Amino acid sequence: MNRRLLLLLWKARRLAGAGFTIAELVIGAAIGAFLITGMMYLVVEMTRVERTQTARGETEREMAQALDYIANELREAVLVYDRNCLRTNGSGNGATCPGLTLPVNTVLAFWKREPVPDLNFLNLVPPTNGPEQTQIDNYANNSACTSNRDCNAVMNYARTQYTLVIYVLCPNPGRPGPNCSFTTSTQPRGPARIVRGYFRQYVWGTKTDPSPSAFQNRLVNLDPLENPTWPGGLLSWNGPNSDTAILISNVDWQPPRVNVECPAGYVATTGVGANTGFRSFYGCVRERSGAAETGFVQDVFVYLRGNAAERAGLREIEGSGTNIYRPAVETQVRTRGSYNRRPS
C-alpha cells in the first residue's frame, strides 16, 4: 500500500514538472502570429491580383467588342470625315463640311448607306405586328407616296438611304472636361463613355400620322459625297429617326487634349494643330493626295483604351495608375466607299 502511494506521488511530481514555460509560450505565440500575418498578406495580395486581372480582362473584352462594332460600321461607310471637317474640338463645320454642326468631342463621323425599310419604319408603319412585306407594300403603293418623287424613288427603286453615324467621347460625371453635348440620367462606370448617335435621311411619319403624307427627305439636294454646304439646324440627335445611346463605358479619360500621332499618309479625325485629340480614343484616316485622285478608297485606324481602375475598386488611382489598368485595342478598317472610281 505504501509502495503504491509513493509511486503515485512520484508520478505526480514528474508530471508537474512537464509542460511549457511562459517564455516558450510567448515565443511560440510570436512565431504563430508571424506565420498567420504572412499567410493573410499572401491571401490579400492574391485576391488583389485576381481582382485586378479580372477587371482588366473584362474591360479589355468590352473594349474589343466595342471596337468590333465600330469597325463593322466603318466597313459600310461611304465617307469618313477627317480633321478638315471635325476641326479642333470635334464639333464639325470645317472646310469639307460647312454648316454640319456636330457635338463637341466627336471622334468619328461618317456617312453610310443603309437598307430601307429600317427599324423605325417597321416599328411605326402599320400593321406593326404584321408581315414586313405588307408594311412595305401598303406604304409604297399609297397615293401619297407614289405622287411624292422622293418617297416613290426610295420605296420602289433605290431602297437605300444615307445615315450619318457619330461616335463621341464623353467624360462621366465627376471628371474634368472638356465635356460633350450629351448628358445621361444614369451613372456610367469608369472615367468616360462613348456615345453613338445616328441621323437617317428619311422620316417615315409620326406616331399620330404614320402615313406617307408625313414622309420627309431631310437631304433634299444634299449629297454627302459632294461636300455640300449644310443648312444650319439640320441635325437633331433626338428627333424623328435619329437617336443616341451609350455604346461602352469604362473608357480611359486623361485630359487635356494631346497630339494624335498617325502613320505616314494618314491624318487624325480630329485636330488641326497641336493638342487636339484624346489619348484614349482616336482615329486616323488615309489622306487623299488630291481631290480628283482616281479610285481612292478610304481606310481608317481606330485606337481605343479602357480603364479598369474603378472596376477593380481603385478609383483613386484612375488618373495616375500604371497601364496595367488601361487595356488598349486597335484595328484597321477599309471602307466600301471610293472616289472617282472608273470601271475597267
Side-chain angles (χ1 to χ4, degrees), residues 81-158:
Y81 287 125
D82 60 19
R83 63 187 183 183
N84 294 313
C85 170
L86 300 187
R87 302 194 304 163
T88 300
N89 59 2
S91 62
N93 196 28
T96 58
C97 61
L100 189 70
T101 303
L102 302 173
V104 173
N105 293 358
T106 296
V107 175
L108 289 171
F110 53 91
W111 291 92
K112 68 176 185 175
R113 299 289 288 183
E114 281 191 323
V116 170
D118 54 43
L119 285 177
N120 181 263
F121 178 99
L122 298 175
N123 292 330
L124 180 69
V125 174
T128 55
N129 59 347
E132 178 180 320
Q133 191 59 47
T134 301
Q135 292 178 274
I136 297 171
D137 292 342
N138 289 347
Y139 197 93
N141 297 328
N142 189 292
S143 59
C145 183
T146 56
S147 61
N148 183 309
R149 184 184 65 179
D150 290 333
C151 182
N152 185 53
V154 68
M155 292 304 300
N156 292 306
Y157 298 98

Side-chain angles (χ1 to χ4, degrees), residues 42-106:
L42 289 176
V43 171
V44 171
E45 186 65 16
M46 290 174 63
T47 302
R48 184 191 67 80
V49 171
E50 182 182 8
R51 185 173 65 244
T52 299
Q53 294 298 327
T54 300
R56 176 186 169 86
E58 291 178 353
T59 302
E60 186 172 23
R61 176 177 55 81
E62 291 177 355
M63 295 301 115
Q65 290 175 340
L67 192 62
D68 284 344
Y69 186 93
I70 295 172
N72 287 334
E73 279 211 298
L74 278 170
R75 289 188 183 95
E76 299 299 315
V78 295
L79 172 65
V80 181
Y81 287 125
D82 60 19
R83 63 187 183 183
N84 294 313
C85 170
L86 300 187
R87 302 194 304 163
T88 300
N89 59 2
S91 62
N93 196 28
T96 58
C97 61
L100 189 70
T101 303
L102 302 173
V104 173
N105 293 358
T106 296

Side-chain angles (χ1 to χ4, degrees), residues 282-323:
Y282 61 83
C284 294
V285 185
R286 184 181 294 276
E287 187 175 26
R288 280 185 289 172
S289 60
E293 183 176 349
T294 301
F296 174 80
V297 178
Q298 287 183 305
D299 64 289
V300 188
F301 284 95
V302 184
Y303 176 91
L304 176 61
R305 186 172 72 190
N307 191 310
E310 182 176 340
R311 174 174 268 162
L314 299 168
R315 179 176 171 176
E316 65 275 8
I317 67 168
E318 171 180 282
S320 59
T322 64
N323 285 337

Side-chain angles (χ1 to χ4, degrees), residues 179-200:
N179 295 312
C180 70
S181 307
F182 300 130
T183 58
T184 176
S185 58
T186 63
Q187 179 60 50
R189 297 194 66 175
R193 64 194 185 279
I194 294 177
V195 176
R196 176 188 182 271
Y198 70 86
F199 176 89
R200 293 194 178 107

Side-chain angles (χ1 to χ4, degrees), residues 16-29:
F20 298 101
T21 65
I22 294 178
E24 291 173 333
L25 290 174
V26 171
I27 293 173

